[in-house]
Amino acid sequence: TTWLYLPGGHRHELTSPDLRPDLIADELDRLDLDNAVPAPPAPTNPDPEPEPDPDADLVVVRDADPPASDDPWCHIGLLGPLQVTLGDQPLTRLTPTVRQLLPYLATHRHGVTLARLEETIRPGRPESPNGQRTRTALTRLRAELGDAPDGTPLIPRRGTGDQPIRLSDHVTTDLDQALQHLDTARTGNADQQLQHLLAALDLIRGEPFEDLCFSWTLDVQQHAITHLHDAALTAAGALRRLGRYDDAEHAIRQGLTLYDPSEPLYVEWFHLEHARGHPERIPHLWRRLQQRYADQADDIAGTITTPTIETELAYTNLTRHTP
């Protein structure tokens, strides 16, 4: 007898005496591993939320507020290299399943259908029967993350039919938090706006999705960079005019962490050093900007980008005059 051992300690007897990879794949496609894991009783909810529309556009990241949790159990860091924390303990080893599935689910909080998820994580490959390979990956991810303190799985089990797959409300991301700060910054007085802009910028650890090489991340990455870059530029200018020069420089540096070179941020840095009474530092910044472009030179085409005329004029004018 040949046994096929499955995630979670289950096993299945293979009826064929020949142990071949194609037979194993067929058996995995036939088994419903989600049903192999006993599901906890569904919590009583007298006012259930309406189910999301599975045909809704799932590419847009922010068409509603992220789920709120006073004490999120699972935190996902996307503004830089991927980080996952459960409680106060970081996951030191992120498996390929975690790296592939979790960020996608975390940036599509309205839920994704099994077919959409399989199409995303297995682009260009034939679909497995009933999405079985994706089901298997979800089962592994559910086992790796475990449950929230209240006993509910962080990756809820999918319901019947084509019900979308959604993360638990106990899961949050730094991208959700940053965009929530930017939303809040649009209201309130000037001090409150700056407070929330800086709070959003403080969450930046590097380029968003820095170590995730998946095609679907490009749109989400650009969305995050655009909004946080604008926040850095707005905050830096306001802080400079208030005389809070160190905070203004911090905002500029955080913005450049997202994308460097950014000429608007360099021009703002020129103005900042001019306001500080240190115009001699501006040429150093100018050379840094030129070097960033040189680092990105297209060796194949033999071309290099240079600063725009507007940036060069700002540099020339500010180095000609003392404050």
Side-chain angles (χ1 to χ4, degrees):
T1 300
T2 303
W3 294 96
L4 176 64
Y5 290 89
L6 305 174
H10 300 278
R11 65 179 186 174
H12 179 73
E13 182 180 358
L14 296 178
T15 57
S16 172
D18 298 323
L19 184 61
R20 301 200 307 269
D22 56 333
L23 291 178
I24 293 178
D26 290 342
E27 291 293 334
L28 284 175
D29 288 342
R30 188 173 62 82
L31 291 171
D32 187 349
L33 295 183
D34 281 340
N35 293 332
V37 181
T44 303
N45 185 359
D47 298 309
E49 296 180 358
E51 292 296 337
D53 181 7
D55 296 325
D57 184 6
L58 301 176
V59 176
V60 178
V61 179
R62 289 274 299 174
D63 52 357
D65 291 335
S69 178
D70 294 335
D71 187 19
W73 176 251
C74 178
H75 181 76
I76 305 170
L78 301 172
L79 298 179
L82 178 64
Q83 293 180 346
V84 181
T85 304
L86 296 176
D88 57 355
Q89 298 297 321
L91 289 182
T92 56
R93 180 179 178 272
L94 300 179
T95 65
T97 300
V98 171
R99 300 182 66 84
Q100 189 174 29
L101 288 180
L102 189 57
Y104 186 78
L105 293 174
T107 51
H108 296 74
R109 296 306 294 258
H110 290 298
V112 294
T113 62
L114 189 66
R116 173 66 69 88
L117 188 58
E118 176 145 341
E119 179 185 344
T120 300
I121 67 174
R122 295 170 52 83
R125 301 181 186 179
E127 294 185 6
S128 58
N130 299 320
Q132 189 57 59
R133 290 189 178 92
T134 304
R135 291 172 184 263
T136 302
L138 285 170
T139 300
R140 292 172 180 167
L141 179 60
R142 186 180 299 114
E144 289 188 60
L145 295 183
D147 298 339
D150 62 2
T152 59
L154 297 176
I155 309 294
R157 291 171 177 81
R158 199 170 60 91
T160 59
D162 204 23
Q163 182 178 351
I165 304 161
R166 299 177 59 184
L167 287 182
S168 164
D169 288 350
H170 292 282
V171 181
T172 188
T173 73
D174 54 2
L175 178 56
D176 279 338
Q177 294 172 335
L179 294 178
Q180 184 63 55
H181 279 300
L182 298 187
D183 285 345
T184 307
R186 296 187 178 97
T187 61
N189 56 42
D191 289 339
Q192 293 171 334
Q193 291 176 3
L194 279 177
Q195 179 183 354
H196 284 286
L197 289 177
L198 288 173
L201 296 175
D202 284 342
L203 294 171
I204 299 172
R205 295 175 292 108
E207 182 180 345
F209 303 90
E210 182 176 308
D211 55 348
L212 299 176
C213 299
F214 304 119
S215 59
W216 66 263
T217 63
L218 296 178
D219 288 340
V220 187
Q221 181 187 57
Q222 189 58 49
H223 176 93
I225 290 176
T226 298
H227 287 274
L228 288 170
H229 173 274
D230 291 347
L233 189 61
T234 299
L239 292 165
R240 171 175 58 84
R241 290 186 288 272
L242 290 173
R244 295 171 56 180
Y245 298 143
D246 290 344
D247 289 337
E249 182 177 342
H250 173 68
I252 293 171
R253 289 183 179 273
Q254 288 295 91
L256 291 175
T257 300
L258 293 166
Y259 175 72
D260 191 358
S262 164
E263 291 192 34
L265 286 174
Y266 273 97
V267 171
E268 180 55 43
W269 207 344
F270 296 165
H271 284 284
L272 174 61
E273 296 302 342
H274 188 269
R276 279 171 160 169
H278 295 293
E280 73 280 0
R281 296 178 181 173
I282 300 178
H284 295 284
L285 297 174
W286 175 254
R287 288 193 291 271
R288 169 175 163 163
L289 172 60
Q290 292 176 311
Q291 184 60 48
R292 292 295 187 271
Y293 277 131
D295 293 341
Q296 296 181 0
D298 190 337
D299 296 332
I300 298 178
T303 59
I304 182 173
T305 304
T306 57
T308 63
I309 294 178
E310 291 78 10
T311 300
E312 186 171 358
L313 286 174
Y315 162 73
T316 302
N317 290 333
L318 290 171
T319 51
R320 283 178 178 173
H321 304 91
T322 57

